[in-house]
Amino acid sequence: MNVNLATNLLECDAQGLTDWCAERGEKAYRARQLLRWIHRAGVADFTQMTDLAKSLRERLLSEAVVALPAVLQDHVSADGTRKWLLDVGAGNAVEAVFIPEAERGTLCISTQAGCAVNCRFCSTGKQGFSRNLSLGEIIGQLWWARHALARADGERVISNVVLMGMGEPLLNYDATLAALRLMLDDNAYGLSRRRVTLSTSGVVPMMDRLGEDCAVALAVSLHAPNDALRDELVPLNRKYPLAELLAACRRYLDHAPRDFITFEYVLLAGVNDSVAQARELVALVGDLPCKFNLIPFNPFPGSGLARPGRDAMRAFGEVLLAAGLVTTIRKTRGDDIDAACGQLAGEIQDRTRLAERAAATLRAIPIAQVPA
Ligand code: SAH
Ligand code: SF4
């Protein structure tokens, strides 16, 4: 087999598979069968696709592959958090993180190697931008995680997917959209739109397109209550300032599967964590239906930033709560996840601290329950 000529079917969406089959005179239902085998059943070996005609299987063996990104590391933390480091070529690696909870299991995936937005507090941004991930590299993270977490009783372990890993998903729109559609496709991963969340730093025109094309749940990284500060923290704000961003959030609600937008707000000591700034934030969002997810900053070397003390974070959250905004904040520091990061060795060590970041974003509890 000449692999160079073979089509990687992981790079095909439903239409792509239909086209591949049509070009070979195969009926459209064969494409649906392929979709089910590759994504729903998680089978990459054509010889196991028993209900395909033998002639088609032979053709697949010589003309196609299901090539997944290689797993460089697979790490399980004591608390059940699991992290995969996936090779995406040319010295680039991206992470996917699975976070099990009592009621749900959430997979956090990446959409770019590096990120061009360069937020002040983000280690991915500090790495610079390498490249967009392809459809196969994005959906491959879910494929691997499902495969690795498969249970004997067949029960689904991954109930939710969040695009909160490395990269800005709306700056890799086409591949991200194709991956989202596969996630929602009943012949592939069959997730509900409410259980797939895309997080963006605020690429306004693409938020509108997403609303039209594939309105999954939306999280918006706010991080500041005014343009002067947000210009510094999230440089994209200079292009799409807060008034435009909030207007785009309102428009998105017409399509959204949930009747609120989630705002993420990384708390940085002495930068954006004062009670006065919390009040400014309340005024900023006004009557926009939203929830706040306060994320204690995860420090990294050379950031020059610090996580606020618990009292400051609490006081900040209480201002939002008092204004009637549903607000969550991470409980405590991620105990053994630090160790997990430290255990990764070599050139491709975990500079992103993604597991910790993902845990901070996801393992949130109502601020009222934060121990004093
Ligand atoms: N690019 C998208 C999605 C990936 S970042 C976005 O910015 O929304 C996912 C979340 O992690 C964002 O809310 C981001 O602000 C947050 N984050 C980035 N660096 C962090 C850090 N050092 N500590 C805590 N949260 C961080
Ligand atoms: Fe990119 Fe998001 Fe990091 Fe900002 S926070 S640099 S948008 S990954």
Side-chain angles (χ1 to χ4, degrees):
M1 177 179 63
N2 187 337
V3 177
N4 291 328
L5 293 179
T7 309
N8 181 6
L9 298 186
L10 211 61
E11 300 294 351
C12 297
D13 59 8
Q15 186 60 46
L17 289 176
T18 306
D19 294 346
W20 191 90
C21 287
E23 282 159 19
R24 285 154 185 85
E26 296 285 347
K27 299 235 165 49
Y29 77 92
R30 293 295 187 196
R32 194 170 58 243
Q33 283 179 311
L34 270 172
L35 192 67
R36 288 184 181 184
W37 276 116
I38 297 168
H39 296 287
R40 200 159 81 172
V43 170
D45 174 2
F46 298 127
T47 61
Q48 288 179 29
M49 301 184 180
T50 44
D51 59 359
L52 299 184
K54 191 155 178 279
S55 57
L56 175 58
R57 267 183 285 165
E58 277 164 8
R59 200 143 193 194
L60 283 163
L61 283 168
S62 63
E63 295 179 29
V65 288
V66 177
L68 288 142
V71 176
L72 298 170
Q73 286 167 355
D74 180 346
H75 186 89
V76 189
S77 296
D79 67 359
T81 300
R82 188 150 170 192
K83 183 164 63 172
W84 297 269
L85 194 66
L86 301 168
D87 183 14
V88 292
N92 289 310
V94 296
E95 273 186 280
V97 179
F98 176 69
I99 297 169
E101 288 171 291
E103 307 279 299
R104 61 186 179 179
T106 304
L107 183 72
C108 174
I109 63 178
S110 300
T111 53
Q112 298 181 311
C115 181
V117 178
N118 196 13
C119 298
R120 176 77 183 76
F121 48 82
C122 176
S123 54
T124 304
K126 296 291 152 235
Q127 284 176 37
F129 174 68
S130 294
R131 69 169 174 83
N132 282 329
L133 299 190
S134 66
L135 166 60
E137 289 166 338
I138 299 173
I139 208 67
Q141 297 169 60
L142 179 53
W143 193 101
W144 265 124
R146 270 251 308 250
H147 191 74
L149 298 166
R151 281 184 16 180
D153 60 10
E155 197 185 314
R156 292 206 172 170
V157 186
I158 299 170
S159 61
N160 295 58
V161 173
V162 294
L163 279 66
M164 290 183 184
M166 297 169 73
E168 169 49 57
L170 294 185
L171 291 180
N172 181 14
Y173 189 76
D174 292 346
T176 296
L177 176 64
L180 289 173
R181 286 183 167 152
L182 281 177
M183 288 175 206
L184 306 189
D185 192 326
D186 284 338
N187 289 310
Y189 297 91
L191 292 164
S192 99
R193 294 197 297 148
R194 300 164 59 86
R195 291 177 173 274
V196 176
T197 302
L198 182 145
S199 173
T200 181
S201 55
V203 190
V204 165
M206 291 303 166
M207 289 166 65
D208 287 324
R209 273 189 67 187
L210 184 71
E212 299 285 339
D213 291 342
C214 189
V216 294
L218 189 68
V220 173
S221 293
L222 212 49
H223 309 316
N226 57 59
D227 282 319
L229 182 57
R230 197 163 187 272
D231 280 351
E232 296 303 316
L233 297 179
V234 184
L236 191 66
N237 195 69
R238 295 175 206 156
K239 197 161 180 188
Y240 307 116
L242 281 167
E244 284 182 34
L245 178 58
L246 293 174
C249 290
R250 277 188 201 277
R251 292 194 295 274
Y252 196 88
L253 283 170
D254 292 340
H255 307 275
R258 296 180 181 272
D259 53 10
F260 59 90
I261 300 285
T262 300
F263 286 126
E264 294 157 279
Y265 193 101
V266 173
L267 287 164
L268 305 162
V271 175
N272 68 354
D273 66 335
S274 73
V275 162
Q277 284 161 320
R279 293 201 185 105
E280 205 182 344
L281 199 54
V282 169
L284 176 77
V285 298
D287 63 357
L288 177 72
C290 62
K291 292 187 178 176
F292 270 88
N293 188 358
L294 302 178
I295 312 174
F297 172 62
N298 289 315
F300 55 91
S303 74
L305 296 164
R307 173 186 301 212
R310 183 172 289 181
D311 288 349
M313 296 199 287
R314 222 184 131 85
F316 191 96
E318 271 163 7
V319 173
L320 304 187
L321 272 182
L325 296 167
V326 174
T327 304
T328 57
I329 190 169
R330 190 181 177 199
K331 207 169 18 183
T332 52
R333 286 209 55 180
D335 343 74
D336 77 324
I337 296 183
D338 270 333
C341 294
Q343 281 164 15
L344 294 175
E347 191 54 37
I348 36 168
Q349 60 179 312
D350 181 13
R351 281 172 308 199
T352 66
R353 313 202 51 150
L354 188 68
E356 199 177 323
R357 182 167 112 192
T361 315
L362 302 172
R363 216 175 273 148
I365 61 167
I367 191 159
Q369 292 170 24
V370 175

